[in-house]
Amino acid sequence: SADMVRSDPTGQKEEPEALVSSLIIFVFSLIAGLLIYWLLSRRRPAPVPEIRTPLTAGAVTMQETSFIEKMKKTTRNVIVFYGSQTGTAEEFANRLVKDAQRYGIKGMVADPEEYDMSELPRLREIDSSLAVFCMATYGEGEPTDNAQDFYDWMQMTDDSLEGVHFAVFGLGNKTYDHYNAMGTYTDKRLAELGATRIFDLGLGDDDGNLEEDFISWKGQFWPAVCEFFGVQATQEECSIRQFELVVHSDVNMNEVYTGELGRLLSFQDQKPPFDAKNPFLAPVAINRKLNKGGSRHLMHLELDISGSKIRYDAGDHVAVYPMNDVPLVNRLGERLGVDLDTVITLKNLDEEANKKHPFPCPTTYRAALTHYLDITSPLHTNVLFDLSQYASDPEEKEILRKMACSSSEGKALYHSWVVESERNILAVLEDLPSLRPPIDHLCELLPRLQARYYSIASSAKVHPSSIHICVVVLEYTTKTGRVFKGVATNWLKDKVVTDGSPRPTVPMYVRKSQFRLPFRASTPVIMIGPGTGIAPFMGFIQERAWQKEQGKETGEAILYFGCRHRNEDFIYQEELEEFEKAGVLTQLHVAFSRDQEHKVYVQHLLKQSKDHLWKLIHSSNAHIYVCGDARNMARDVHAAFHEIAEEVGGLTHTQAVDYFQRLMTKGRYSQDVWS
C-alpha cells in the first residue's frame, strides 16, 4: 500500500514515492468527482412548499395555488377555508358556501393546504371580498394536518392584512385543556395583522352540541354578511343541489371505485408511501379478547406491516378506515327501494370547484354507503332541511323543517328527537314513513365516513413489522330501543384470524404524534392510563425494556392503571407483572374501581404516592403522561397533581396551576385523550 512505500525504512529512491503520491491524488480526485456527480444527478427538484412566496404573473402553477386568481376568474368574492381532521369543519365550510348562494353571493370552499396562503393580503384586490375560516383544534391545541402550514405562516408573517375582511368559527371540545385554540388564535392573529373582523368569533363545543352552536352562530352571521355586502336577506330558504347524478349503464367494472380512497385499484396494486389517501391493507395477524369476564369486549389486535416501509414510534396513532355494517346498508337500500349495485357518478355542478365529486366516482350506491358515507351518526340540521321536501305527509315535513330552524323550540326538538335519541339516517327514514328521498340526493347530503385513530400499543424497536392496538367494542341500546354498534370497533371485532383462510385486512396508515418517551432513557416517567388508555404505555414499557437490554441506564417507570374488577378486565396483567418483575416497571399501581364498596380511581392512587411523585417531578425532571378519557379522568388526574403540588410542594393553587402549565409547555406533561 502507499503507506508501506512511504514508511519503508530501507530508504528507497524518491521516484516511486512521488509516483504513488500522484496516484493517490488522482484516485482521490476521481472519487470526489464521482461523488459530486452522483449527488448532483440524484437531486430532484425540491417539492414546492405549502407556504410559498407570492407567485409572479404567468407562473405555471398559478392556477393550482392562487385562490386570488381563481376567485377573480370565477367572479367570487367569498372564500371559506377549513382546518379539518374528521371532516366536520369541511362540512361546515360547504354549508356556508351553499348558504351564500341563497343570498346571491358567490363563494368557494378552500383547503388551505392546496393554496398559497401568503396571498391572503391580496384579497383586498377583490371588491367586497370576505374570508371565512372554519378551524378545528386537534390534539393538545394543535392545528389539523391540513392547516399546519397556514398556522406556521400566521406565526411567521408580518404582512399587513389591512383591507381584508374576515370571520372565524372554531370547532373544539371543552373537555380538552386547549379548548378551541386554533379558532381563537386565527381570529386574534388575523386582527393583529390588520384584518377587519366583520362578525364575532364563533366557538362550537363538541362536548355540548356543536351543531346547535354552529346554527346559532350562522343565524346571526348571515345578517351581518348581508349588511356588509349591502344585499337583502331572502326570507325563504330553498334546497340547492351541489351535484348532479350520472348513471352508467355500460361500464368496465375495473374503472369503478370499490372502497379505494385515492388511486383506482390501489387495494389490488399496493404502492408506498402509505398515507391518508393511500392506506396500506395490513393483514390481521392476531385478534384476541383481553378481558376474562364482564359484559364488555376488549381486544388486542396485531396488524402486520411487513414490506410496507411503514415506520412508527411508540406513542404514534394508527388510523384505520372501517366499513359500515353490511345488513345496515342493505336495510337502507330496501327502505329507499333502489338497486344498490347501480354504477353512478355524482358530478359537481360548479365546474370550477376543486372537489369534483363528494366521494370517489364512478362507484356503486353500495360502495358509497359501505365505504364512503357516514350512515350511523345523528343527522345534522342541514340534512333534515334538505330531506323535508321529500316528505309527503305535511306533519312529517313540518317536524323536519322545525328541527332545521334556529328557533328555541326547533333547537329543543332537534336535541331531543335527533341528538339524545341518536337517530341516524335509517332511524329517521323508519320513523317518518312518508319520507322518500332520492338516494343520489341522500348520498350528496351525508357526511364522509372518517378514519378512526387508535394509540399504538407497541414499540417499533421490539415489533418493527407489526402495529398493536387495544380497543373496546362499542355497543349499547339507544333511547328509541335500537342497538347502536360502533362502526370501527365492531368491524375490527369481526376481523377473526382462522387457520387455512386468508388473513383479513385493515386499511391503515400511521399518524405521527407528540406523545413521546423522553430523549434520555434515564429520565423517570409517570404513566397514567386506565382502561384502553394503557395502549401507548405498552409501547413505552416495551421500549424501556429494549433500552435496558441495550445496556442503557433506565430511569424509574411508574404506571397507574385502572379497571373495574381484578378478575374481569385487568388487561395485559401477565405482561405488566413480568415487566415489574424484570425491573422495567419500577412501580405498578392498579385501581380496581368496583372491587370494593367505595369506587377507587387512578387519581386516588396518585395521592397515596404524593411525596415520591413530587420528588420525581420537582427534583428528577420526571415526565408525566396521561392517556384515556378526557371528560373526567384527565381532568381529575390534573386536579390530583395540583393538590400534590399544594400539599407537598407548598404551592398556592394558582402557583400549582402555573407550575403544571409550564410542564406542558416544556413537553413534560403530555396527554393523549379522547371524549
Side-chain angles (χ1 to χ4, degrees):
S1 78
D3 284 335
M4 286 169 69
V5 171
R6 297 182 73 173
S7 60
D8 192 337
T10 59
Q12 285 185 31
K13 292 182 180 178
E14 195 62 32
E15 292 86 51
E17 192 170 329
L19 183 67
V20 170
S21 297
S22 303
L23 186 62
I24 290 167
I25 292 164
F26 171 73
V27 169
F28 273 112
S29 301
L30 184 64
I31 291 167
L34 287 168
L35 186 63
I36 291 164
Y37 173 78
W38 180 74
L39 285 167
L40 289 171
S41 65
R42 74 189 283 271
R43 278 186 69 191
R44 293 178 174 80
V48 182
E50 298 293 359
I51 299 298
R52 306 171 181 84
T53 49
L55 294 163
T56 54
V60 178
T61 52
M62 180 66 82
Q63 293 310 311
E64 293 169 19
T65 65
S66 175
F67 63 86
I68 297 293
E69 296 307 317
K70 186 162 186 175
M71 288 175 78
K72 286 178 177 177
K73 182 184 164 193
T74 58
T75 63
R76 293 163 205 257
N77 51 356
V78 171
I79 184 161
V80 186
F81 293 103
Y82 62 86
S84 189
Q85 197 70 34
T86 62
T88 310
E90 182 182 0
E91 184 203 326
F92 284 3
N94 276 302
R95 286 165 66 175
L96 288 172
V97 167
K98 212 168 169 184
D99 284 346
Q101 282 181 265
R102 299 189 172 114
Y103 301 104
I105 300 167
K106 284 185 77 176
M108 65 178 269
V109 175
D111 180 343
E113 196 172 37
E114 293 176 1
Y115 291 100
D116 177 5
M117 295 305 290
S118 68
E119 282 200 330
L120 204 54
R122 288 186 58 204
L123 199 60
R124 64 175 78 92
E125 295 172 17
I126 298 168
D127 290 339
S128 300
S129 57
L130 171 66
V132 185
F133 297 84
C134 292
M135 305 300 287
T137 299
Y138 186 75
E140 295 298 289
E142 300 152 36
T144 57
D145 291 349
N146 77 313
Q148 182 66 56
D149 291 337
F150 172 49
Y151 175 68
D152 294 342
W153 176 79
M154 283 193 289
Q155 287 192 308
M156 292 184 295
T157 191
D158 54 6
D159 292 351
S160 169
L161 292 181
E162 202 172 322
V164 172
H165 298 87
F166 77 96
V168 178
F169 183 80
L171 296 84
N173 187 311
K174 273 191 178 151
T175 58
Y176 293 80
D177 287 332
H178 307 275
Y179 173 61
N180 254 315
M182 267 308 289
T184 306
Y185 176 78
T186 303
D187 182 74
K188 175 171 158 280
R189 185 64 181 140
L190 295 178
E192 284 173 355
L193 292 168
T196 304
R197 184 187 293 109
I198 71 142
F199 189 64
D200 294 339
L201 166 67
L203 296 177
D205 177 19
D206 199 30
D207 187 48
N209 190 335
L210 185 59
E211 175 72 10
E212 191 175 301
D213 295 337
F214 180 60
I215 293 296
S216 299
W217 178 80
K218 77 184 184 87
Q220 296 170 296
F221 166 75
W222 282 116
V225 172
C226 289
E227 191 179 328
F228 171 73
F229 283 115
V231 299
Q232 222 21 64
T234 50
Q235 295 299 309
E236 190 57 42
E237 284 197 62
C238 57
S239 174
I240 298 167
R241 288 295 300 262
Q242 196 180 345
F243 298 91
E244 65 174 338
L245 172 67
V246 178
V247 178
H248 306 281
S249 52
D250 186 20
V251 66
N252 179 352
M253 291 310 285
N254 282 330
E255 294 169 5
V256 176
Y257 283 88
T258 56
E260 306 95 327
L261 293 155
R263 183 173 55 87
L264 190 65
L265 303 177
S266 59
F267 288 163
Q268 283 92 317
D269 177 25
Q270 293 252 282
K271 291 175 185 170
F274 297 105
D275 54 27
K277 295 281 167 62
N278 181 38
F280 175 63
L281 280 183
V284 178
I286 290 173
N287 182 350
R288 64 183 172 92
K289 188 176 178 181
L290 286 169
N291 52 315
K292 303 178 189 82
S295 57
R296 298 183 305 159
H297 184 102
L298 291 102
M299 57 193 174
H300 170 90
L301 285 96
E302 297 185 11
L303 308 178
D304 186 350
I305 55 168
S306 306
S308 68
K309 297 185 179 171
I310 289 173
R311 300 284 176 266
Y312 74 95
D313 291 298
D316 283 342
H317 298 133
V318 60
V320 305
Y321 286 97
M323 274 170 52
N324 282 313
D325 188 36
V326 172
L328 191 63
V329 171
N330 289 336
R331 279 166 63 196
L332 259 177
E334 286 163 19
R335 171 63 179 80
L336 295 166
V338 292
D339 176 4
L340 291 177
D341 296 312
T342 306
V343 179
I344 56 120
T345 291
L346 287 182
K347 196 168 129 197
N348 204 320
L349 291 162
D350 177 359
E351 290 178 4
E352 299 296 333
N354 273 21
K355 194 174 182 180
K356 303 298 179 193
H357 314 287
F359 41 76
C361 288
T363 189
T364 62
Y365 287 127
R366 187 181 303 282
L369 294 171
T370 305
H371 299 280
Y372 300 135
L373 297 170
D374 181 348
I375 60 173
T376 60
S377 295
L379 295 185
H380 286 166
T381 55
N382 64 306
V383 178
L384 299 174
F385 175 80
D386 278 359
L387 288 179
S388 65
Q389 63 189 302
Y390 303 116
S392 54
D393 183 308
E395 281 184 26
E396 292 182 2
K397 189 190 290 275
E398 181 53 33
I399 288 170
L400 290 166
R401 295 222 158 191
K402 186 182 279 186
M403 287 190 290
C405 74
S406 56
S407 70
S408 53
E409 195 185 346
K411 284 179 186 174
L413 181 61
Y414 173 74
H415 191 70
S416 64
W417 202 80
V418 175
V419 180
E420 287 185 340
S421 301
E422 298 182 65
R423 276 186 171 87
N424 59 27
I425 181 58
L426 184 60
V428 169
L429 289 168
E430 286 174 344
D431 293 344
L432 301 176
S434 82
L435 181 58
R436 301 200 74 82
I439 188 170
D440 60 293
H441 197 180
L442 191 60
C443 288
E444 175 182 321
L445 293 169
L446 290 172
R448 283 291 296 266
L449 181 61
Q450 298 295 326
R452 273 34 176 196
Y453 297 92
Y454 298 105
S455 303
I456 295 176
S458 53
S459 164
K461 299 282 193 294
V462 183
H463 300 283
S465 60
S466 70
I467 284 176
H468 302 181
I469 55 177
C470 161
V471 186
V472 59
V473 176
L474 193 61
E475 186 172 330
Y476 58 87
T477 304
T478 68
K479 286 187 175 179
T480 64
R482 294 177 169 93
V483 174
F484 175 85
K485 289 184 170 188
V487 176
T489 56
N490 281 277
W491 170 76
L492 286 169
K493 182 186 173 185
D494 291 339
K495 298 279 176 185
V496 181
V497 183
T498 51
D499 291 338
S501 299
R503 293 189 296 177
T505 56
V506 170
M508 54 72 70
Y509 72 95
V510 167
R511 186 183 192 275
K512 292 290 170 190
S513 120
Q514 302 299 315
F515 205 70
R516 287 278 179 275
L517 271 172
F519 181 71
R520 293 177 187 276
S522 56
T523 304
V525 292
I526 300 161
M527 302 168 283
I528 301 110
T532 55
I534 195 174
F537 304 133
M538 293 306 294
F540 280 13
I541 298 163
Q542 287 172 15
E543 193 140 323
R544 275 286 166 100
W546 177 83
Q547 289 170 336
K548 207 174 171 71
E549 279 172 19
Q550 301 297 304
K552 290 185 181 176
E553 182 198 336
T554 55
E556 280 198 55
I558 302 174
L559 175 67
Y560 289 87
F561 173 67
C563 60
R564 293 177 182 180
H565 302 282
R566 175 186 284 276
N567 297 326
E568 282 186 8
D569 51 357
F570 185 178
I571 59 176
Y572 298 116
Q573 180 180 354
E574 293 78 11
E575 292 97 317
L576 293 172
E577 287 172 353
E578 279 298 315
F579 282 128
E580 189 183 23
K581 208 160 122 188
V584 176
L585 262 183
T586 45
Q587 289 181 31
L588 170 62
H589 301 277
V590 187
F592 302 106
S593 63
R594 302 183 187 182
D595 272 353
Q596 61 285 309
E597 195 179 333
H598 301 293
K599 288 189 177 175
V600 176
Y601 296 114
V602 284
Q603 62 268 24
H604 301 130
L605 300 189
L606 287 172
K607 294 290 296 292
Q608 289 173 17
S609 318
K610 60 184 179 182
D611 294 310
H612 185 58
L613 288 176
W614 180 249
K615 186 183 167 200
L616 286 178
I617 296 163
H618 195 59
S619 307
S620 304
N621 199 38
H623 284 225
I624 301 164
Y625 300 91
V626 182
C627 182
D629 163 54
R631 188 176 284 111
N632 300 308
M633 183 278 298
R635 280 180 172 179
D636 293 341
V637 164
H638 210 135
F641 277 119
H642 289 161
E643 288 170 26
I644 289 169
E646 291 166 42
E647 292 167 20
V648 186
L651 306 186
T652 65
H653 180 67
T654 306
Q655 288 172 330
V657 170
D658 288 346
Y659 184 92
F660 283 98
Q661 195 57 53
R662 284 200 302 277
L663 288 191
M664 282 186 172
T665 307
K666 289 176 184 172
R668 282 185 52 205
Y669 191 120
S670 305
Q671 297 186 103
D672 178 2
V673 293
W674 56 84
S675 66

